């Protein structure tokens, strides 16, 4: 067993072999090998040879093996020990970013058995950071490690744990340099989504102080030969910062400011911008448009976001399911309840396919954990009745859950989602709702960032008068 990693017969598949035929023919054998190794390991979890062999496997194989350990109670401590290494988890995120489903599965399984990987990652990252500060400290550890882990935790719903890791990463970044800005912007995202808006406002002020320097660096690099990649990186950082501003203002109920920052992000998108960043910008702009009762524009932008997700992540991905949840909220806001429920069910089916039925447990699932409550509140027909229902549920959760529990944080944010909806019995029902045409998300064609870039001018001209009125009210 000790030599398993050294002579692993399928290493070439997971190290970038180009033969599609080889991959397809070997996959069943690969899965059988993973299952057999895990089963034998579970019978002898303290075997040092098994444990040592796991460390010698290629990253992709190692992560698959860790995911296979889920539902094996005897291997819980082994899983937790391996996944508590922040450098390893950072490598998983950096090298396997195309599909981190197995990593999410591991976090969900361990959380369900009262073992928190994010907390252990924070403790180990803090320990390594303290050793790095001392003379001769750990040279491989830097702020990028914490930035990767923190970003991953934000995207999978572990926002409170992400805050601690990102704060440590900020200590490792060089003070006053532009490398601080990506950490600060993710820290503000985590604080905002965790409902810690007072802390987020302080981070917001720090970012505002640093942003002019990044703008100056971008202007300085413009037109200088050999600086194209650096210029694009700075340009994308500006997009990301304004996207985070939009999220912060939205959660703080300043929807008009959120919309303006979202449009600022959109206007800066170029053909070379990262697809994930563009998707995040579009999805946040959809929420801002809903908050301003611009339902037709929100539907148009969301179609673009879905097309971009399909192109880059496929229709069986967590990001596609999350975007479908956005569509479910849009249809609910447009009083298309039946269509909303169908789309949300499609999203949950994808999550189940990716993570198994465990993902549908409300305390573990990522995405919009409170859609069911939101739907229940909406169908009361009146805003006052809906808010009373939310308040009652919130009181029940506060009695039974820890202050920073994921479910409680989501319910606290539900009020923001409810503000997007125009209730059927509302006397101020927006006429734009009636103009929104239904579309089938299954028929949306894949789109590239280049395609999105070509649509930006149309989005800008969509509501020039609305934007002008918004500026006058600020």
């Amino acid at each position: 067993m000790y030599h398993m990693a050294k002579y692993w017969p399928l290493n070439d598949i997971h190290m970038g072999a180009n033969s599609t035929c080889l991959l397809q023919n070997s996959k069943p054998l690969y899965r059988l090998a993973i299952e057999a190794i895990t089963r034998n390991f579970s019978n002898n979890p303290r075997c040092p040879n098994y444990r040592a062999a796991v460390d010698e496997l290629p990253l992709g194989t190692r992560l698959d093996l860790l995911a296979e350990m889920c539902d094996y109670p005897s291997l819980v401590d082994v899983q937790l020990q391996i996944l508590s290494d922040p450098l390893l988890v950072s490598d998983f995120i950096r090298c396997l970013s195309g599909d981190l489903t197995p990593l999410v599965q591991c976090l969900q399984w361990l959380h369900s058995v009262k073992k928190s990987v994010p907390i252990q990652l924070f403790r180990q990252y803090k320990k390594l950071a303290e050793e790095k500060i001392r003379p001769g400290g750990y040279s491989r550890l830097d702020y990028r490690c914490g930035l990767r882990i923190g970003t991953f935790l934000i995207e999978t719903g572990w926002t409170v744990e992400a805050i601690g890791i990102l704060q440590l990463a900020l200590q490792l970044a060089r003070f006053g340099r532009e490398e601080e800005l990506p950490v600060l912007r993710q820290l503000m995202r985590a604080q905002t989504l965790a409902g810690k808006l007072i802390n987020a406002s302080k981070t917001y002020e720090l970012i505002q102080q640093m942003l002019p320097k990044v703008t100056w660096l971008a202007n300085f690099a413009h037109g200088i030969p050999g600086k194209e990649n650096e210029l694009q990186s700075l340009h994308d950082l500006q997009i990301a910062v304004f996207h985070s501003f939009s999220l912060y203002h939205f959660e703080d109920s300043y929807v008009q400011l959120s919309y303006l920052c979202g449009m600022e992000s959109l206007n800066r998108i170029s053909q070379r911008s990262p697809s994930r960043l563009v998707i995040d910008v579009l999805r946040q702009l959809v929420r801002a448009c809903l908050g301003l009762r611009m339902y037709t524009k929100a539907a148009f932008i969301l179609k673009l976001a879905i097309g971009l997700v399909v192109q880059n992540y496929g229709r069986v991905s967590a990001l596609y399911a999350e975007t479908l949840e956005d569509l479910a909220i849009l249809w609910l806001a447009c009083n298309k309840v039946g269509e909303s429920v169908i789309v949300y069910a499609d999203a949950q089916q994808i999550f189940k396919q990716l993570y198994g039925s465990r993902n549908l447990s409300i305390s573990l699932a990522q995405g919009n954990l409170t859609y069911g409550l939101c739907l229940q509140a909406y169908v009361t027909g009146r805003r006052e009745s809906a808010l009373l229902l939310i308040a009652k549920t919130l009181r029940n959760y506060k009695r039974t859950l820890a202050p920073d529990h994921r479910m409680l944080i989501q319910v606290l944010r539900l009020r923001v989602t409810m503000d997007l909806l125009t209730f059927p019995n509302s006397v101020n029902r927006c006429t734009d709702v009636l103009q929104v045409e239904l579309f089938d998300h299954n028929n949306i064609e894949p789109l590239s960032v280049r395609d999105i870039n070509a649509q930006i001018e149309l989005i800008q001209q969509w509501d020039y008068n609305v934007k002008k009125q918004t500026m006058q009210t600020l």
Side-chain angles (χ1 to χ4, degrees), residues 79 82 94 99 233-234 336 403:
Q79 263 185 308
I82 296 174
R94 177 173 56 88
D99 183 13
S233 178
L234 292 170
K336 304 181 189 302

Side-chain angles (χ1 to χ4, degrees), residues 316-328:
V316 186
S317 64
L319 188 57
Y320 182 69
E322 292 171 24
T323 311
L324 291 188
E325 289 180 329
D326 293 344
L327 181 58

Side-chain angles (χ1 to χ4, degrees), residues 181 201 203-212 241 245 249:
L181 199 52
S201 68
T203 309
Y204 177 79
E205 292 175 359
L206 290 175
I207 295 175
Q208 283 186 312
Q209 294 172 11
M210 294 193 64
L211 191 57
V241 166
F245 284 173
H249 290 307

Side-chain angles (χ1 to χ4, degrees), residues 213-446:
K213 181 177 181 180
V214 174
T215 304
W216 181 86
L217 288 172
N219 292 334
F220 178 77
H222 184 72
I224 299 179
K227 293 283 187 177
E228 291 81 5
N229 291 336
E230 180 181 345
L231 177 61
Q232 184 64 39
S233 178
L234 292 170
H235 191 69
D236 292 336
L237 181 56
Q238 290 175 315
I239 297 173
V241 166
F242 280 104
H243 162 257
S244 298
F245 284 173
S246 179
L247 173 65
Y248 166 70
H249 290 307
F250 182 80
E251 296 291 331
D252 202 25
S253 298
Y254 289 96
V255 182
Q256 293 175 333
L257 275 175
S258 175
Y259 174 77
L260 289 178
C261 291
M263 288 299 296
E264 187 67 33
S265 292
L266 185 74
N267 295 339
R268 293 171 180 265
I269 289 174
S270 70
Q271 296 179 4
R272 295 180 60 193
S273 297
S275 59
R276 179 57 196 256
L277 177 58
V278 177
I279 291 167
D280 289 344
V281 168
L282 294 174
R283 292 180 63 199
Q284 179 56 40
L285 187 55
V286 167
R287 299 184 187 101
C289 288
L290 288 178
L292 293 176
R293 305 296 186 255
M294 300 162 62
Y295 299 104
T296 307
K297 181 173 183 177
F300 177 78
I301 296 174
L302 189 53
K303 287 175 68 176
L304 297 178
I306 293 174
L308 190 54
V309 173
V310 171
Q311 169 88 343
N312 293 276
Y313 296 89
R315 296 185 187 273
V316 186
S317 64
L319 188 57
Y320 182 69
E322 292 171 24
T323 311
L324 291 188
E325 289 180 329
D326 293 344
L327 181 58
I329 293 295
L330 171 64
W331 290 152
L332 196 59
C334 296
N335 198 28
K336 304 181 189 302
V337 180
E339 292 79 2
S340 174
V341 173
I342 291 173
V343 171
Y344 186 77
D346 288 347
Q348 297 311 295
Q349 187 61 36
I350 295 171
F351 281 133
K352 184 177 180 180
Q353 183 175 348
L354 288 172
Y355 304 127
S357 58
R358 180 185 301 112
N359 183 75
L360 301 183
S361 170
I362 193 170
S363 62
L364 298 176
Q366 64 181 54
N368 186 354
L369 309 185
T370 55
Y371 174 83
L373 181 59
C374 184
L375 175 64
Q376 183 182 359
Y378 178 77
V379 297
T380 61
R382 297 186 181 278
R383 176 181 172 83
E384 294 76 14
S385 301
L387 295 180
L388 286 175
L389 177 61
I390 293 172
K392 180 180 178 181
T393 305
L394 184 59
R395 288 195 298 269
N396 293 335
Y397 277 22
K398 283 183 175 179
R399 284 197 297 266
T400 58
L401 300 176
D404 289 331
H405 195 282
R406 284 154 58 97
M407 287 172 61
L408 183 57
I409 290 172
Q410 289 291 333
V411 175
L412 286 169
R413 294 180 57 220
L414 185 58
R415 178 67 178 265
V416 178
T417 304
M418 296 301 295
D419 287 341
L420 302 180
L421 309 179
T422 303
F423 287 82
N425 296 335
S426 173
V427 295
N428 296 320
R429 191 152 180 79
C430 182
T431 56
D432 191 37
V433 172
L434 304 176
Q435 300 173 8
V436 178
E437 295 182 0
L438 284 169
F439 60 83
D440 185 356
H441 57 275
N442 294 306
N443 293 331
I444 293 178
E445 295 295 327

Side-chain angles (χ1 to χ4, degrees), residues 138-150:
Y138 209 74
S139 59
R140 188 183 165 203
L141 188 81
D142 63 6
Y143 77 95
R144 297 180 187 87
C145 174
L147 179 59
R148 291 189 195 101
I149 297 173

Side-chain angles (χ1 to χ4, degrees), residues 85-100:
D85 180 1
L87 293 170
L88 175 63
V89 173
S90 175
D91 287 342
F92 282 152
I93 297 169
R94 177 173 56 88
C95 300
L96 307 173
S97 58
D99 183 13
L100 291 172

